Amino acid sequence: MPETLLEQHAAALRLFGERVRAVADGQWGAPTPCTEWTVRDLVNHVTVEQLWIPPLVTEGRTVAEVGDELAGDLLGRDPAAAFERAAAAARAAFAAPGALERTVQVSYGPTRGAAYCSELTADCVVHAWDLSRAIGADDRLPAGLVEFSLKEVMPYADGLAAGGMYDEPLEVPAGADAQTRLLALLGRRG
């Protein structure tokens, strides 16, 4: 099980990347559990999230300064390669000396690099489940990444639906496993 935050982030990116490489040619337009998104939209979302990391973390730019540079579909003709390039750049940005300690200007205000990395790690894990469901892949998530993501989202899970990022949390069945609890917190049925 990955132990450091950087290892967790790298593991989440590897998991998502495996799912991206499993997308068949005819599946890019398929629906996902994120009802507004197709498979391509979902992969683009996670790819673009990774593309934001270097300008915000490494360059110290603000969201306003980046502007619409990262708007639209940035996957091109080879979505898997686009994701892998973005993931490599994100890993390098977070791994740079001092990156996790510095203050990053994100859309909701200033935050520590470590908090930003944690948030994106959990988001990547949940979206790996979404992508797995959409393409009919194994949707079981690694236990360590599930536990990490649960710890990350629990403090602010109630506000996610209000912010429009996720559906309302669902009732968690008694005795539910960690993955079911995580998904229910984010409005998903496992």
Side-chain angles (χ1 to χ4, degrees), residues 13-88:
L13 291 173
R14 277 192 306 276
L15 174 66
F16 192 81
E18 289 167 8
R19 297 308 189 267
V20 172
R21 288 186 299 280
V23 177
D25 288 340
Q27 292 180 309
W28 290 101
T32 70
C34 303
T35 57
E36 303 291 315
W37 291 339
T38 64
V39 166
R40 187 175 179 95
D41 296 332
L42 175 64
V43 172
N44 187 66
H45 165 73
V46 176
T47 300
V48 170
E49 281 188 326
Q50 304 315 308
L51 290 171
W52 275 97
I53 296 167
L56 297 181
V57 173
T58 306
E59 299 168 23
R61 293 166 68 190
T62 66
V63 171
E65 290 169 340
V66 175
D68 63 358
E69 288 175 32
L70 299 174
D73 186 324
L74 302 181
L75 296 179
R77 291 182 176 208
D78 189 347
F83 173 75
E84 292 302 332
R85 283 190 302 275

Side-chain angles (χ1 to χ4, degrees), residues 171-183:
E171 187 91 19
V172 180
D177 64 14
Q179 179 169 318
T180 302
R181 290 193 319 270
L182 172 66
L183 296 172

Side-chain angles (χ1 to χ4, degrees), residues 124-150:
C124 191
V125 170
V126 173
H127 286 319
W129 181 86
D130 293 330
L131 185 54
S132 298
R133 276 291 175 98
I135 65 171
D138 182 1
D139 66 4
R140 289 173 294 170
L141 300 168
L145 288 174
V146 169
E147 289 295 335
F148 173 90
S149 299
L150 260 174

